[in-house]
Amino acid sequence: PDNGVPSQSAVPSDEFSIPEDVSAIFDKSCFGCHNSESQSEKARKKLSIDKLGELSKAKLVGKLGEIEEVVEKNEMPPEKFITKYPDKKLTEEESIRLVEWAEKAADDLLGITK
């Protein structure tokens, strides 16, 4: 029944997908902790990359904003993790690509054209 509450169903895959180059960056630097099978409950709750497409549009836009923010501030991957696994550090190009992708994906979901 239509009770005026927006649907919380997942975003259709034609509206949201992760491009291969972005997926490769996630695989290198993010997915180890941020997946639905992660040992780290905190990282899993904050972001499960493999579950992004299952979020409602509003939640997905929020997560994309969080990705953009933590990457811009160099908060992810965390320093402690980078010290242990220096090869997981994002390059400047990778950071820029993630931020640009997250911003554009959120704009696309919201129907914003720039």
Side-chain angles (χ1 to χ4, degrees), residues 4-90:
V5 177
S7 164
Q8 290 297 310
S9 60
V11 176
S13 58
D14 62 333
E15 281 189 50
F16 178 75
S17 62
I18 301 173
E20 262 182 58
D21 63 330
V22 171
S23 190
I25 298 168
F26 278 150
D27 287 349
K28 174 193 141 189
S29 299
C30 315
F31 195 76
C33 298
H34 291 289
N35 70 78
S36 59
E37 305 293 315
S38 176
Q39 298 295 312
S40 168
E41 185 180 354
K42 185 179 175 189
R44 190 173 63 235
K45 280 186 170 175
K46 195 77 179 149
L47 173 68
S48 286
I49 294 166
D50 53 334
K51 301 286 186 186
L52 282 175
E54 296 176 18
L55 298 175
S56 67
K57 191 179 285 195
K59 285 187 176 161
L60 179 54
V61 167
K63 288 293 177 195
L64 291 166
E66 288 176 30
I67 291 169
E68 193 179 336
E69 187 176 325
V70 298
V71 172
E72 278 184 326
K73 291 180 176 177
N74 288 321
E75 292 175 353
M76 285 286 140
E79 204 56 51
K80 210 163 44 174
F81 180 76
I82 295 301
T83 304
K84 199 170 182 182
Y85 305 102
D87 59 316
K88 304 289 186 187
K89 184 170 174 53
L90 292 170

